[in-house]
Amino acid sequence: MREIFAGMPWWVKWVAVPLLALIVFGGVIASVIGTLIGLIFKVLLFAALVGGLIFIVKKVTGSGSKSSSNDW
């Protein structure tokens, strides 16, 4: 790879090539990042909803006491 950039100025390797990569693959990179952020948001939302459901069920059923025999 060094032979390709041997006679080129520094800005070709450090500016032009990364800019070309962003132009060509920018949509793919943005799509992957957007998908990851959406997935993380959905996982956090799911965890919050499950936690809220458990809190509500415990509050309504009053399972704070050891009166029920269905304890897991």
Side-chain angles (χ1 to χ4, degrees):
M1 190 71 164
R2 290 184 185 258
E3 297 87 31
I4 295 173
F5 297 112
M8 299 288 168
W10 66 270
W11 58 269
V12 172
K13 183 169 39 170
W14 297 107
V15 177
V17 172
L19 280 177
L20 286 174
L22 281 176
I23 291 170
V24 172
F25 298 109
V28 175
I29 294 169
S31 175
V32 168
I33 290 173
T35 302
L36 287 175
I37 290 173
L39 181 64
I40 290 170
F41 175 75
K42 288 178 183 178
V43 167
L44 290 175
L45 180 65
F46 176 73
L49 288 173
V50 169
L53 178 67
I54 291 171
F55 175 77
I56 291 172
V57 168
K58 284 189 175 187
K59 190 157 186 111
V60 168
T61 60
S63 71
S65 62
K66 298 285 184 183
S67 61
S68 76
S69 61
N70 282 341
D71 286 338
W72 293 38

